[in-house]
């Protein structure tokens, strides 16, 4: 009996060490800038971008031919944040675009730049903290980025004046960011929000990834990662949830999601939609993660036309 208890105690100790080690490994790969890699994110998302590269390259050349400049602000916790700004004739409409996890501002809106430039929008493309040319060691997953978004809105008002009409557009992590930002007090110049494949919370999207992609239980990895992140990055993994924040949004909102999104399941969009009063929704059939615009450009642009036509003059 004594030997059995000793063996059980040793086994429990080994399992605890393994769980702690696995949690630390998961945390580093996910939350720390130095270990979060775009190649791994693209592989996990599973979207076949190769088929769209001719269009993306063409749009990229046209985008970079537009006058643009690097701009900087300081976050409330002292980070220097970078954005790319396209004046596009300096009209009274601007879209502030928030990119996805491990991406950067200039990458995720190459395709959509054509739509927004054609329709007279200035574009501001911030790099999220711990991404691109912005400072930061730990990724904010919308929970911290929402406050950075407010700082960018202050920059827009200073640059463009109080008569400007502002649209927030986010993709993936950026989609969660704009919804979480919508739960805060926004300047009256913000006329609407577009969230493309946004997740509900870091906790829920990590849980989904552990179950569906790694075939691992979320407990206790998520709980350990949550505790560590509160100490190191200053926020909990479910401290801010886009589905909860959606109930606070008081500007028109358009939700877009692909029916074949395996990275951020469509069920998250459905949950957000149920909570977001009066929101519009477009589900693009067969679209994988962040693929909706390229999968069906006609439907995507029509949804934008219908949505923006009612809120921005």
């Amino acid at each position: 009996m004594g030997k059995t208890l000793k063996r059980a105690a040793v086994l429990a100790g080994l399992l605890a060490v393994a769980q702690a080690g696995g949690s630390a490994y998961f945390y580093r790969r996910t939350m720390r800038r130095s270990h979060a890699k775009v190649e791994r994110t693209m592989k996990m998302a599973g979207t076949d971008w190769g088929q769209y590269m001719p269009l993306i390259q063409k749009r990229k050349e046209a985008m970079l031919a537009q006058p643009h400049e690097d701009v900087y602000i300081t976050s409330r916790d002292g980070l220097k944040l970078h954005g790319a700004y396209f004046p596009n004739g300096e009209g009274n409409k601007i879209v502030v675009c928030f990119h996805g996890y491990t991406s950067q501002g200039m990458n995720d809106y190459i395709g959509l730049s054509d739509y927004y430039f054609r329709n007279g929008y200035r574009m501001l493309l911030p790099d999220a903290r711990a991404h691109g040319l912005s400072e930061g060691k730990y990724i904010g997953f919308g929970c911290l980025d929402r406050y950075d978004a407010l700082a960018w809105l202050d920059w827009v008002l200073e640059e463009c004046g109080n008569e400007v009409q502002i649209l927030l557009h986010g993709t993936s992590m950026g989609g969660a960011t704009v919804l979480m930002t919508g739960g805060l007090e926004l300047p009256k110049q913000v006329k609407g929000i577009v969230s493309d494949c946004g997740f509900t919370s870091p906790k829920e999207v990590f849980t989904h990834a552990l179950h569906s992609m790694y075939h691992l239980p979320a407990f206790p990895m998520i709980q350990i990662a949550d505790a560590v992140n509160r100490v190191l990055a200053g926020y909990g993994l479910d401290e801010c949830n886009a589905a909860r924040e959606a109930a606070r949004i008081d500007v028109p909102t358009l939700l877009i999601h692909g029916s074949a999104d395996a990275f951020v399941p469509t069920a998250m969009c459905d949950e957000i939609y149920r909570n977001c009063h009066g929101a519009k929704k477009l589900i693009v059939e067969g679209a994988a993660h962040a693929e909706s615009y390229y999968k069906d450009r006609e439907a995507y642009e029509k949804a934008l036309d219908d949505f923006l036509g009612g809120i921005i003059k």
Side-chain angles (χ1 to χ4, degrees), residues 188-216:
K188 65 181 181 180
Q189 290 84 358
V190 176
K191 303 302 182 183
I193 292 171
V194 179
S195 175
D196 185 340
C197 62
F199 53 73
T200 49
S201 75
K203 177 183 177 181
E204 291 182 357
V205 79
F206 296 162
T207 297
H208 170 73
L210 286 170
H211 287 167
S212 64
M213 299 177 187
Y214 294 100
H215 308 291
L216 292 171

Side-chain angles (χ1 to χ4, degrees), residues 63 66-71 84-95 116-117 120-124 155 159-160:
M63 183 182 189
Q66 289 274 348
H68 60 282
E69 60 181 307
D70 294 318
V71 294
Y85 174 54
F86 292 77
N88 192 30
E90 299 185 345
N92 74 331
K93 301 184 293 186
I94 186 170
V95 58
Y116 282 122
F117 289 151
Y121 284 81
R122 309 186 196 200
M123 295 188 76
L124 174 63
W155 182 92
E159 173 69 22
C160 303

Side-chain angles (χ1 to χ4, degrees), residues 13-62:
L14 290 173
L15 287 172
V17 170
Q19 289 285 6
S23 298
Y25 177 71
F26 165 76
Y27 184 84
R28 286 195 302 272
R29 284 167 55 98
T30 305
M31 305 300 296
R32 290 185 59 175
R33 176 190 196 132
S34 57
H35 288 72
K37 304 299 183 185
V38 64
E39 297 82 7
R40 185 165 62 245
T41 302
M42 292 178 69
K43 183 178 179 179
M44 290 172 65
T47 306
D48 178 13
W49 290 110
Q51 60 187 310
Y52 304 119
M53 288 313 298
L55 174 64
I56 291 172
Q57 187 58 39
K58 181 180 178 181
R59 294 269 174 99
K60 183 177 182 180
E61 291 172 2

Side-chain angles (χ1 to χ4, degrees), residues 18-266:
Q19 289 285 6
S23 298
Y25 177 71
F26 165 76
Y27 184 84
R28 286 195 302 272
R29 284 167 55 98
T30 305
M31 305 300 296
R32 290 185 59 175
R33 176 190 196 132
S34 57
H35 288 72
K37 304 299 183 185
V38 64
E39 297 82 7
R40 185 165 62 245
T41 302
M42 292 178 69
K43 183 178 179 179
M44 290 172 65
T47 306
D48 178 13
W49 290 110
Q51 60 187 310
Y52 304 119
M53 288 313 298
L55 174 64
I56 291 172
Q57 187 58 39
K58 181 180 178 181
R59 294 269 174 99
K60 183 177 182 180
E61 291 172 2
M63 183 182 189
L64 293 178
Q66 289 274 348
H68 60 282
E69 60 181 307
D70 294 318
V71 294
Y72 294 89
I73 62 170
T74 301
S75 71
R76 66 176 190 167
D77 54 346
L79 298 178
K80 186 177 182 182
L81 304 179
H82 167 265
Y85 174 54
F86 292 77
N88 192 30
E90 299 185 345
N92 74 331
K93 301 184 293 186
I94 186 170
V95 58
V96 186
C97 302
F98 297 87
H99 64 78
Y101 176 59
T102 68
S103 187
Q104 52 187 298
M106 288 288 287
N107 287 357
D108 286 7
Y109 291 88
I110 291 171
L112 275 164
S113 65
D114 176 75
Y115 175 86
Y116 282 122
F117 289 151
R118 276 191 284 113
N119 285 281
Y121 284 81
R122 309 186 196 200
M123 295 188 76
L124 174 63
L125 307 166
D127 290 341
R129 58 175 54 218
H131 289 77
L133 298 180
S134 290
E135 293 180 343
K137 184 176 181 180
Y138 297 101
I139 296 171
F141 282 100
C143 301
L144 298 180
D145 305 298
R146 56 183 171 153
Y147 298 111
D148 300 337
L150 291 183
W152 281 114
L153 292 177
D154 288 340
W155 182 92
V156 168
L157 293 176
E158 184 175 345
E159 173 69 22
C160 303
N162 290 330
E163 299 305 311
V164 70
Q165 302 175 87
I166 303 172
L167 175 70
L168 305 181
H169 193 142
T171 301
S172 191
M173 186 180 78
T177 296
V178 295
L179 294 169
M180 293 175 181
T181 306
L184 303 172
E185 185 176 352
L186 298 175
K188 65 181 181 180
Q189 290 84 358
V190 176
K191 303 302 182 183
I193 292 171
V194 179
S195 175
D196 185 340
C197 62
F199 53 73
T200 49
S201 75
K203 177 183 177 181
E204 291 182 357
V205 79
F206 296 162
T207 297
H208 170 73
L210 286 170
H211 287 167
S212 64
M213 299 177 187
Y214 294 100
H215 308 291
L216 292 171
F219 180 84
M221 284 192 185
I222 294 296
Q223 287 70 22
I224 294 173
D226 178 79
V228 171
N229 204 58
R230 288 178 185 275
V231 174
L232 297 181
Y235 70 96
L237 299 183
D238 197 46
E239 182 174 309
C240 190
N241 184 303
R244 294 196 299 266
E245 295 304 309
R248 307 172 192 261
I249 296 175
D250 61 3
V251 298
T253 302
L254 172 62
L255 304 174
I256 301 172
H257 219 99
S259 68
D261 192 335
F263 196 41
V264 177
T266 311

